[in-house]
Amino acid sequence: MNELFPPLPVLVIFTSCSLILAITPGPGVLYIVTRSLTQGRHAGLASVGGVALGNLGNAIGASIGLATLFAVSSIAFTIVKYCGALYLIYLGVRTLHSPRSTVHARALSSTPARRIFRDGFFVALLNPKTAIFFGAFLPQFMASGAAPILQTVTLGSLFVAIAAITDAIYALAAGTLSPMITRTRSVNMLSRYLAGCTSIGLGIGTALTGSQGGK
């Protein structure tokens, strides 16, 4: 147990800080809320799972040195950052060009959960800022003398679990509003534009921002 976690007082501080950071809205939360509002709770929860797995991938990446690579190599950071930005923009354009009216509503509701999960996974994974965040945040709470990689993965997994719980709460809350948003044709069209423009906006924001950032 001591190999995996820091002393209890430090662990409590880590959990508290993780909770505060997790409930702070960021790109992942905005993506999940948008999915939940436009496609319902099941889509929101599927996106939560995808985002959590992508964040876990970044935590593991931070443990094996990818955070350091991104911090020292502007080329590697830029390549991954723009891949993530282009993927978000692609999702937004795809949403804006999807069928309209009631056909669009049925298409949204029938979107396979595995595709929603996949989109959330790549949105989170292709964000090098998350790996840098883990690389800077997690070592502050690691115990000396223990295996650093094992500790990083463990603390990163704990952070991802906390974030997944708060993200699920966001998804469930936004999902309760989904039936009202998709009930009428005009509001349904508005939800389509909301989803598409949010993804495009996140993509542009990702492309324009620097190396600072987190979840």
Side-chain angles (χ1 to χ4, degrees), residues 161-198:
I162 293 171
I165 293 172
T166 59
D167 287 348
I169 294 174
Y170 275 116
L172 293 173
T176 60
L177 301 177
S178 180
M180 293 182 286
I181 291 179
T182 58
R183 186 172 298 161
T184 64
R185 177 177 178 178
S186 59
V187 178
N188 179 45
M189 292 177 63
L190 178 62
S191 69
R192 177 167 63 90
Y193 285 112
L194 172 65
C197 291
T198 298

Side-chain angles (χ1 to χ4, degrees), residues 9 22 39 58 63 68 113 138-139 152 159 180 182 205 210:
Q39 296 178 253
N58 276 311
S63 72
T68 303
L138 298 181
T152 303
F159 180 94
M180 293 182 286
T182 58

